[in-house]
Tab-separated table of all heavy atoms in Angstrom:
chain	number	residue	atom	x	y	z
A	280	ALA	N	10.371	132.305	52.388
A	280	ALA	CA	11.580	131.976	51.633
A	280	ALA	C	12.863	132.139	52.452
A	280	ALA	O	13.894	131.550	52.120
A	280	ALA	CB	11.670	132.858	50.388
A	281	ALA	N	12.809	132.929	53.542
A	281	ALA	CA	14.005	133.130	54.366
A	281	ALA	C	14.163	132.039	55.424
A	281	ALA	O	15.160	132.002	56.139
A	281	ALA	CB	13.956	134.492	55.051
A	282	GLY	N	13.181	131.175	55.538
A	282	GLY	CA	13.188	130.161	56.594
A	282	GLY	C	14.364	129.201	56.469
A	282	GLY	O	14.854	128.930	55.375
A	283	SER	N	14.853	128.725	57.602
A	283	SER	CA	15.937	127.730	57.608
A	283	SER	C	15.916	127.008	58.949
A	283	SER	O	15.304	127.485	59.909
A	283	SER	CB	17.302	128.419	57.443
A	283	SER	OG	17.562	129.263	58.561
A	284	TRP	N	16.623	125.875	59.005
A	284	TRP	CA	16.779	125.158	60.283
A	284	TRP	C	17.393	126.105	61.301
A	284	TRP	O	16.980	126.152	62.459
A	284	TRP	CB	17.674	123.930	60.069
A	284	TRP	CG	17.825	123.085	61.292
A	284	TRP	CD1	17.113	121.950	61.605
A	284	TRP	CD2	18.727	123.291	62.401
A	284	TRP	NE1	17.524	121.457	62.822
A	284	TRP	CE2	18.512	122.250	63.328
A	284	TRP	CE3	19.699	124.247	62.691
A	284	TRP	CZ2	19.223	122.137	64.525
A	284	TRP	CZ3	20.404	124.144	63.879
A	284	TRP	CH2	20.173	123.103	64.785
A	285	GLN	N	18.385	126.882	60.871
A	285	GLN	CA	19.079	127.783	61.792
A	285	GLN	C	18.110	128.838	62.334
A	285	GLN	O	18.147	129.173	63.515
A	285	GLN	CB	20.269	128.466	61.091
A	285	GLN	CG	21.374	127.508	60.648
A	285	GLN	CD	22.194	126.946	61.800
A	285	GLN	OE1	22.205	127.487	62.896
A	285	GLN	NE2	22.894	125.851	61.553
A	286	MET	N	17.266	129.371	61.459
A	286	MET	CA	16.325	130.391	61.927
A	286	MET	C	15.339	129.795	62.937
A	286	MET	O	15.087	130.357	64.001
A	286	MET	CB	15.559	130.992	60.743
A	286	MET	CG	14.621	132.121	61.180
A	286	MET	SD	13.699	132.822	59.820
A	286	MET	CE	14.953	133.796	58.990
A	287	GLU	N	14.809	128.622	62.613
A	287	GLU	CA	13.821	128.010	63.505
A	287	GLU	C	14.418	127.590	64.838
A	287	GLU	O	13.804	127.732	65.881
A	287	GLU	CB	13.184	126.792	62.828
A	287	GLU	CG	12.015	127.183	61.948
A	287	GLU	CD	11.285	125.983	61.386
A	287	GLU	OE1	11.143	124.969	62.090
A	287	GLU	OE2	10.871	126.074	60.215
A	288	ASN	N	15.639	127.055	64.791
A	288	ASN	CA	16.221	126.483	66.005
A	288	ASN	C	17.161	127.416	66.753
A	288	ASN	O	17.499	127.152	67.911
A	288	ASN	CB	16.974	125.184	65.666
A	288	ASN	CG	16.027	124.098	65.226
A	288	ASN	OD1	15.394	123.453	66.041
A	288	ASN	ND2	15.897	123.929	63.923
A	289	ARG	N	17.627	128.468	66.099
A	289	ARG	CA	18.619	129.339	66.737
A	289	ARG	C	18.201	130.810	66.767
A	289	ARG	O	18.791	131.593	67.510
A	289	ARG	CB	19.964	129.245	65.993
A	289	ARG	CG	20.610	127.858	66.028
A	289	ARG	CD	21.152	127.536	67.408
A	289	ARG	NE	21.894	126.295	67.438
A	289	ARG	CZ	21.369	125.114	67.783
A	289	ARG	NH1	20.101	125.030	68.143
A	289	ARG	NH2	22.118	124.020	67.787
A	290	GLY	N	17.210	131.194	65.944
A	290	GLY	CA	16.835	132.606	65.836
A	290	GLY	C	16.556	133.234	67.193
A	290	GLY	O	17.116	134.282	67.541
A	291	SER	N	15.718	132.585	68.002
A	291	SER	CA	15.329	133.248	69.247
A	291	SER	C	16.468	133.241	70.276
A	291	SER	O	16.661	134.233	70.988
A	291	SER	CB	14.023	132.654	69.783
A	291	SER	OG	14.273	131.617	70.631
A	292	THR	N	17.272	132.175	70.331
A	292	THR	CA	18.409	132.183	71.280
A	292	THR	C	19.452	133.219	70.862
A	292	THR	O	20.104	133.836	71.707
A	292	THR	CB	19.070	130.779	71.391
A	292	THR	OG1	19.277	130.252	70.075
A	292	THR	CG2	18.223	129.824	72.205
A	293	MET	N	19.596	133.440	69.557
A	293	MET	CA	20.522	134.491	69.083
A	293	MET	C	20.064	135.852	69.606
A	293	MET	O	20.869	136.653	70.092
A	293	MET	CB	20.566	134.514	67.546
A	293	MET	CG	21.331	133.342	66.943
A	293	MET	SD	21.002	133.143	65.182
A	293	MET	CE	22.290	134.152	64.482
A	294	CYS	N	18.770	136.113	69.503
A	294	CYS	CA	18.249	137.410	69.961
A	294	CYS	C	18.415	137.567	71.470
A	294	CYS	O	18.555	138.677	71.972
A	294	CYS	CB	16.785	137.557	69.564
A	294	CYS	SG	16.590	137.691	67.777
A	295	GLN	N	18.393	136.427	72.193
A	295	GLN	CA	18.553	136.494	73.653
A	295	GLN	C	20.019	136.426	74.095
A	295	GLN	O	20.312	136.472	75.289
A	295	GLN	CB	17.776	135.343	74.298
A	295	GLN	CG	16.260	135.550	74.272
A	295	GLN	CD	15.482	134.252	74.236
A	295	GLN	OE1	16.002	133.219	74.664
A	295	GLN	NE2	14.281	134.289	73.701
A	296	GLY	N	20.938	136.289	73.129
A	296	GLY	CA	22.359	136.219	73.463
A	296	GLY	C	22.732	134.954	74.216
A	296	GLY	O	23.641	134.950	75.051
A	297	GLU	N	22.061	133.835	73.910
A	297	GLU	CA	22.356	132.549	74.576
A	297	GLU	C	23.155	131.668	73.622
A	297	GLU	O	22.669	131.325	72.539
A	297	GLU	CB	21.053	131.812	74.911
A	297	GLU	CG	20.298	132.386	76.064
A	297	GLU	CD	18.929	131.720	76.216
A	297	GLU	OE1	18.731	130.593	75.697
A	297	GLU	OE2	18.066	132.342	76.831
A	298	PHE	N	24.352	131.312	74.041
A	298	PHE	CA	25.213	130.521	73.147
A	298	PHE	C	25.864	129.321	73.822
A	298	PHE	O	26.636	128.607	73.189
A	298	PHE	CB	26.324	131.419	72.566
A	298	PHE	CG	25.808	132.714	72.006
A	298	PHE	CD1	26.151	133.923	72.581
A	298	PHE	CD2	24.949	132.709	70.918
A	298	PHE	CE1	25.663	135.120	72.064
A	298	PHE	CE2	24.448	133.902	70.395
A	298	PHE	CZ	24.803	135.102	70.972
A	299	LYS	N	25.569	129.098	75.102
A	299	LYS	CA	26.296	128.038	75.821
A	299	LYS	C	25.639	126.676	75.626
A	299	LYS	O	25.136	126.053	76.579
A	299	LYS	CB	26.425	128.413	77.295
A	299	LYS	CG	27.401	129.570	77.469
A	299	LYS	CD	27.679	129.916	78.897
A	299	LYS	CE	28.662	131.083	78.935
A	299	LYS	NZ	28.626	131.820	80.163
A	300	PHE	N	25.582	126.226	74.398
A	300	PHE	CA	25.008	124.935	74.022
A	300	PHE	C	25.381	124.704	72.555
A	300	PHE	O	26.013	125.563	71.938
A	300	PHE	CB	23.465	124.967	74.182
A	300	PHE	CG	22.801	125.916	73.220
A	300	PHE	CD1	22.213	125.443	72.042
A	300	PHE	CD2	22.809	127.279	73.445
A	300	PHE	CE1	21.635	126.316	71.122
A	300	PHE	CE2	22.228	128.161	72.533
A	300	PHE	CZ	21.643	127.681	71.381
A	301	GLY	N	24.956	123.559	72.017
A	301	GLY	CA	25.020	123.369	70.561
A	301	GLY	C	26.380	122.990	69.997
A	301	GLY	O	27.179	122.330	70.661
A	302	PHE	N	26.638	123.408	68.763
A	302	PHE	CA	27.837	122.998	68.020
A	302	PHE	C	28.928	124.050	68.196
A	302	PHE	O	28.781	125.198	67.767
A	302	PHE	CB	27.486	122.802	66.535
A	302	PHE	CG	28.634	122.262	65.734
A	302	PHE	CD1	29.180	121.016	66.016
A	302	PHE	CD2	29.194	122.999	64.700
A	302	PHE	CE1	30.260	120.520	65.287
A	302	PHE	CE2	30.259	122.507	63.962
A	302	PHE	CZ	30.791	121.268	64.262
A	303	ALA	N	30.039	123.641	68.814
A	303	ALA	CA	31.054	124.590	69.273
A	303	ALA	C	31.810	125.265	68.123
A	303	ALA	O	32.116	124.650	67.098
A	303	ALA	CB	32.052	123.863	70.173
A	304	VAL	N	32.124	126.550	68.351
A	304	VAL	CA	32.909	127.343	67.393
A	304	VAL	C	34.254	126.657	67.091
A	304	VAL	O	34.697	126.630	65.938
A	304	VAL	CB	33.104	128.771	67.952
A	304	VAL	CG1	34.165	129.530	67.171
A	304	VAL	CG2	31.772	129.527	67.936
A	305	ASP	N	34.889	126.092	68.106
A	305	ASP	CA	36.171	125.386	67.870
A	305	ASP	C	35.999	124.276	66.831
A	305	ASP	O	36.845	124.103	65.956
A	305	ASP	CB	36.699	124.755	69.170
A	305	ASP	CG	37.427	125.760	70.053
A	305	ASP	OD1	37.619	126.914	69.618
A	305	ASP	OD2	37.804	125.372	71.185
A	306	TRP	N	34.913	123.514	66.966
A	306	TRP	CA	34.666	122.416	66.007
A	306	TRP	C	34.418	123.003	64.611
A	306	TRP	O	34.902	122.490	63.613
A	306	TRP	CB	33.455	121.581	66.414
A	306	TRP	CG	33.663	120.508	67.437
A	306	TRP	CD1	32.747	120.114	68.381
A	306	TRP	CD2	34.797	119.642	67.630
A	306	TRP	NE1	33.250	119.081	69.142
A	306	TRP	CE2	34.497	118.775	68.700
A	306	TRP	CE3	36.038	119.532	67.004
A	306	TRP	CZ2	35.397	117.811	69.153
A	306	TRP	CZ3	36.929	118.568	67.461
A	306	TRP	CH2	36.602	117.730	68.525
A	307	MET	N	33.666	124.105	64.551
A	307	MET	CA	33.349	124.698	63.248
A	307	MET	C	34.624	125.170	62.563
A	307	MET	O	34.804	124.963	61.360
A	307	MET	CB	32.366	125.864	63.431
A	307	MET	CG	31.857	126.429	62.127
A	307	MET	SD	31.062	125.160	61.097
A	307	MET	CE	29.991	126.143	60.083
A	308	ARG	N	35.518	125.794	63.326
A	308	ARG	CA	36.769	126.274	62.707
A	308	ARG	C	37.622	125.097	62.223
A	308	ARG	O	38.266	125.173	61.181
A	308	ARG	CB	37.558	127.151	63.689
A	308	ARG	CG	36.885	128.492	63.906
A	308	ARG	CD	37.887	129.575	64.214
A	308	ARG	NE	38.641	130.000	63.063
A	308	ARG	CZ	39.886	130.470	63.108
A	308	ARG	NH1	40.514	130.547	64.273
A	308	ARG	NH2	40.504	130.855	62.021
A	309	LYS	N	37.612	124.006	62.998
A	309	LYS	CA	38.319	122.792	62.555
A	309	LYS	C	37.722	122.336	61.220
A	309	LYS	O	38.440	122.047	60.261
A	309	LYS	CB	38.165	121.712	63.638
A	309	LYS	CG	38.850	120.396	63.379
A	309	LYS	CD	37.933	119.287	62.927
A	309	LYS	CE	36.862	118.904	63.897
A	309	LYS	NZ	36.000	117.822	63.415
A	310	ASP	N	36.387	122.316	61.140
A	310	ASP	CA	35.719	121.831	59.918
A	310	ASP	C	35.984	122.768	58.734
A	310	ASP	O	36.205	122.315	57.612
A	310	ASP	CB	34.199	121.725	60.142
A	310	ASP	CG	33.843	120.638	61.152
A	310	ASP	OD1	34.767	119.952	61.639
A	310	ASP	OD2	32.651	120.482	61.453
A	311	LEU	N	35.967	124.077	58.991
A	311	LEU	CA	36.212	125.023	57.888
A	311	LEU	C	37.658	124.916	57.405
A	311	LEU	O	37.929	125.026	56.210
A	311	LEU	CB	35.874	126.458	58.322
A	311	LEU	CG	34.381	126.707	58.620
A	311	LEU	CD1	34.141	128.156	59.039
A	311	LEU	CD2	33.487	126.349	57.428
A	312	GLY	N	38.581	124.663	58.322
A	312	GLY	CA	39.982	124.441	57.934
A	312	GLY	C	40.097	123.276	56.956
A	312	GLY	O	40.847	123.334	55.975
A	313	ILE	N	39.338	122.221	57.211
A	313	ILE	CA	39.326	121.060	56.310
A	313	ILE	C	38.783	121.477	54.937
A	313	ILE	O	39.315	121.090	53.893
A	313	ILE	CB	38.457	119.921	56.918
A	313	ILE	CG1	39.122	119.358	58.185
A	313	ILE	CG2	38.213	118.820	55.909
A	313	ILE	CD1	38.227	118.425	58.993
A	314	CYS	N	37.730	122.296	54.953
A	314	CYS	CA	37.136	122.773	53.677
A	314	CYS	C	38.161	123.595	52.894
A	314	CYS	O	38.277	123.450	51.667
A	314	CYS	CB	35.910	123.647	53.942
A	314	CYS	SG	34.564	122.801	54.782
A	315	PHE	N	38.910	124.457	53.598
A	315	PHE	CA	39.883	125.318	52.908
A	315	PHE	C	40.989	124.468	52.267
A	315	PHE	O	41.422	124.747	51.149
A	315	PHE	CB	40.481	126.358	53.866
A	315	PHE	CG	39.450	127.311	54.431
A	315	PHE	CD1	39.542	127.788	55.730
A	315	PHE	CD2	38.369	127.721	53.657
A	315	PHE	CE1	38.578	128.655	56.242
A	315	PHE	CE2	37.398	128.585	54.159
A	315	PHE	CZ	37.510	129.055	55.459
A	316	GLU	N	41.450	123.458	52.985
A	316	GLU	CA	42.484	122.566	52.418
A	316	GLU	C	41.963	121.898	51.150
A	316	GLU	O	42.652	121.823	50.137
A	316	GLU	CB	42.893	121.500	53.445
A	316	GLU	CG	43.816	122.015	54.541
A	316	GLU	CD	45.073	122.676	53.979
A	316	GLU	OE1	45.737	122.064	53.131
A	316	GLU	OE2	45.369	123.819	54.379
A	317	GLU	N	40.733	121.398	51.242
A	317	GLU	CA	40.153	120.701	50.088
A	317	GLU	C	39.953	121.668	48.920
A	317	GLU	O	40.179	121.315	47.759
A	317	GLU	CB	38.813	120.062	50.505
A	317	GLU	CG	38.239	119.093	49.497
A	317	GLU	CD	39.110	117.869	49.232
A	317	GLU	OE1	39.752	117.353	50.172
A	317	GLU	OE2	39.172	117.451	48.057
A	318	SER	N	39.561	122.917	49.238
A	318	SER	CA	39.299	123.887	48.156
A	318	SER	C	40.586	124.252	47.416
A	318	SER	O	40.550	124.619	46.246
A	318	SER	CB	38.620	125.143	48.708
A	318	SER	OG	39.549	125.930	49.419
A	319	LYS	N	41.729	124.145	48.124
A	319	LYS	CA	43.009	124.403	47.428
A	319	LYS	C	43.220	123.349	46.342
A	319	LYS	O	43.826	123.609	45.314
A	319	LYS	CB	44.174	124.326	48.421
A	319	LYS	CG	44.305	125.562	49.288
A	319	LYS	CD	45.536	125.429	50.181
A	319	LYS	CE	45.396	126.289	51.409
A	319	LYS	NZ	46.240	125.835	52.525
A	320	ARG	N	42.716	122.141	46.612
A	320	ARG	CA	42.890	121.068	45.632
A	320	ARG	C	41.880	121.170	44.488
A	320	ARG	O	42.217	121.007	43.328
A	320	ARG	CB	42.734	119.700	46.317
A	320	ARG	CG	44.004	119.192	46.931
A	320	ARG	CD	43.820	117.766	47.423
A	320	ARG	NE	43.023	117.748	48.631
A	320	ARG	CZ	43.518	117.922	49.856
A	320	ARG	NH1	44.812	118.088	50.023
A	320	ARG	NH2	42.735	117.900	50.916
A	321	ASN	N	40.600	121.460	44.850
A	321	ASN	CA	39.582	121.391	43.788
A	321	ASN	C	39.302	122.745	43.125
A	321	ASN	O	38.518	122.833	42.185
A	321	ASN	CB	38.285	120.724	44.296
A	321	ASN	CG	37.514	121.582	45.278
A	321	ASN	OD1	37.721	122.791	45.402
A	321	ASN	ND2	36.605	120.962	46.005
A	322	GLY	N	39.933	123.811	43.643
A	322	GLY	CA	39.824	125.116	42.981
A	322	GLY	C	38.543	125.881	43.282
A	322	GLY	O	38.324	126.948	42.701
A	323	ALA	N	37.700	125.362	44.198
A	323	ALA	CA	36.455	126.080	44.528
A	323	ALA	C	36.781	127.336	45.324
A	323	ALA	O	37.574	127.292	46.265
A	323	ALA	CB	35.527	125.167	45.335
A	324	ARG	N	36.184	128.465	44.953
A	324	ARG	CA	36.412	129.710	45.693
A	324	ARG	C	35.438	129.775	46.859
A	324	ARG	O	34.263	129.452	46.705
A	324	ARG	CB	36.232	130.917	44.767
A	324	ARG	CG	37.343	131.010	43.721
A	324	ARG	CD	37.122	132.198	42.794
A	324	ARG	NE	37.112	133.462	43.525
A	324	ARG	CZ	36.068	134.282	43.609
A	324	ARG	NH1	34.937	133.992	43.014
A	324	ARG	NH2	36.160	135.406	44.278
A	325	LEU	N	35.940	130.218	48.029
A	325	LEU	CA	35.096	130.276	49.220
A	325	LEU	C	35.224	131.649	49.898
A	325	LEU	O	35.599	131.736	51.071
A	325	LEU	CB	35.518	129.165	50.211
A	325	LEU	CG	35.389	127.716	49.730
A	325	LEU	CD1	36.048	126.758	50.724
A	325	LEU	CD2	33.919	127.346	49.557
Side-chain angles (χ1 to χ4, degrees):
S283 64
W284 184 97
Q285 296 288 341
M286 183 181 285
E287 275 186 37
N288 293 280
R289 297 288 186 265
S291 91
T292 47
M293 286 165 91
C294 292
Q295 287 151 24
E297 286 172 20
F298 311 115
K299 289 185 180 158
F300 66 99
F302 185 62
V304 167
D305 279 354
W306 277 146
M307 187 57 156
R308 289 210 74 210
K309 181 257 299 180
D310 293 358
L311 294 180
I313 293 169
C314 298
F315 298 144
E316 283 305 310
E317 191 63 37
S318 74
K319 283 183 204 157
R320 274 188 286 275
N321 70 17
R324 291 179 60 243
L325 298 171

